[in-house]
Amino acid sequence: VPLKQASIQAIQASPSIQVTLAHSDQMWSAAVSPNGNIVATGAADKTIRCWHSGTHKQLRSLHGHLGAVSTVKFVNDDLLVSASVERDQKGIKLHDLTTGMCVNTLRPPGIVSAVVPYNDSTVFFGCHKWNTAKTPAEVRVWDLRTGTEGAAFGSGHTDDISCIGLRGGTSVVSGGEDGNVNEWDIRTLACLNTLSYGAPV
């Protein structure tokens, strides 16, 4: 059912923030800025909307994706990274929230399924298998300083990666449809540990 009017509670360290949404289609993702002032939402209407957490008013509407916006994550208070389900372009985008402009787009060989910022210059992302190009499901690096795609953390998954996160600032953890959770060393890109759950993660 399209989610034309809805509410979401985003909790950032202290009292909850309630934001009114006005997407024209179902909402897929939401994130809160590090300072707690902005809530960003991505939806099937191919847009990202930014809201002031105190006044609930919309600050910006970001465009450019060709498919549903599946992931939004803040790099810092001024930069937002987003990913979209768009098989023809397979893009992740970096947005400058002070200008509302898309400052960079990366088109990796696979469908981006999960994103996690590491610092102001590095973003890690997980890819679904892209059968047309026969690419594996991998965790990869996006260098925001150069705008280029960096090295991959090996091919530790045999099926699509569904989620990724940081562990202690020194490793990346990825979960996959193959039922495995892999921990990767950020410095060496080596797989440190694998846990098998026997069911999709």
Side-chain angles (χ1 to χ4, degrees):
V1 178
L3 200 60
K4 295 187 178 182
Q5 293 291 334
S7 62
I8 180 174
Q9 284 195 329
I11 299 175
Q12 181 78 1
S14 59
S16 63
I17 306 163
Q18 191 170 37
V19 178
T20 301
L21 309 180
H23 284 289
S24 62
D25 207 340
Q26 196 167 25
M27 189 186 72
W28 282 33
S29 56
V32 182
S33 63
N35 62 14
N37 291 335
I38 302 174
V39 175
T41 56
D45 61 6
K46 307 176 186 178
T47 70
I48 300 163
R49 296 176 186 269
C50 297
W51 312 85
H52 190 280
S53 60
T55 64
H56 304 177
K57 292 183 178 180
Q58 181 174 312
L59 302 174
R60 290 194 181 279
S61 181
L62 307 175
H63 302 267
H65 280 297
L66 302 180
V69 180
S70 56
T71 303
V72 290
K73 297 283 186 178
F74 281 90
V75 177
N76 54 43
D77 291 327
D78 298 322
L79 292 176
L80 182 77
V81 64
S82 61
S84 175
V85 180
E86 44 191 60
R87 287 182 175 270
D88 53 345
Q89 296 293 327
K90 308 180 293 295
I92 57 177
K93 295 180 180 292
L94 181 67
H95 310 268
D96 185 336
L97 298 185
T98 61
T99 64
M101 301 294 293
C102 175
V103 295
N104 215 330
T105 298
L106 183 67
R107 305 199 187 284
I111 299 173
V112 178
S113 55
V115 175
V116 60
Y118 176 55
N119 52 36
D120 286 356
S121 62
T122 305
V123 169
F124 300 120
F125 63 92
C127 280
H128 281 184
K129 290 189 298 183
W130 182 242
N131 293 329
T132 302
K134 298 182 179 178
T135 59
E138 296 177 324
V139 175
R140 304 191 69 89
V141 181
W142 187 14
D143 188 327
L144 301 181
R145 292 167 299 185
T146 64
T148 59
E149 183 178 353
F153 284 73
S155 54
H157 289 281
T158 59
D159 207 338
D160 297 341
I161 294 173
S162 54
C163 55
I164 60 174
L166 296 176
R167 184 173 185 266
T170 59
S171 60
V172 178
V173 179
S174 59
E177 295 294 321
D178 57 4
N180 291 336
V181 174
N182 293 331
E183 182 179 4
W184 309 89
D185 187 292
I186 289 176
R187 184 176 58 86
T188 66
L189 308 184
C191 185
L192 301 175
N193 196 16
T194 298
L195 300 175
S196 296
Y197 286 93
V201 177

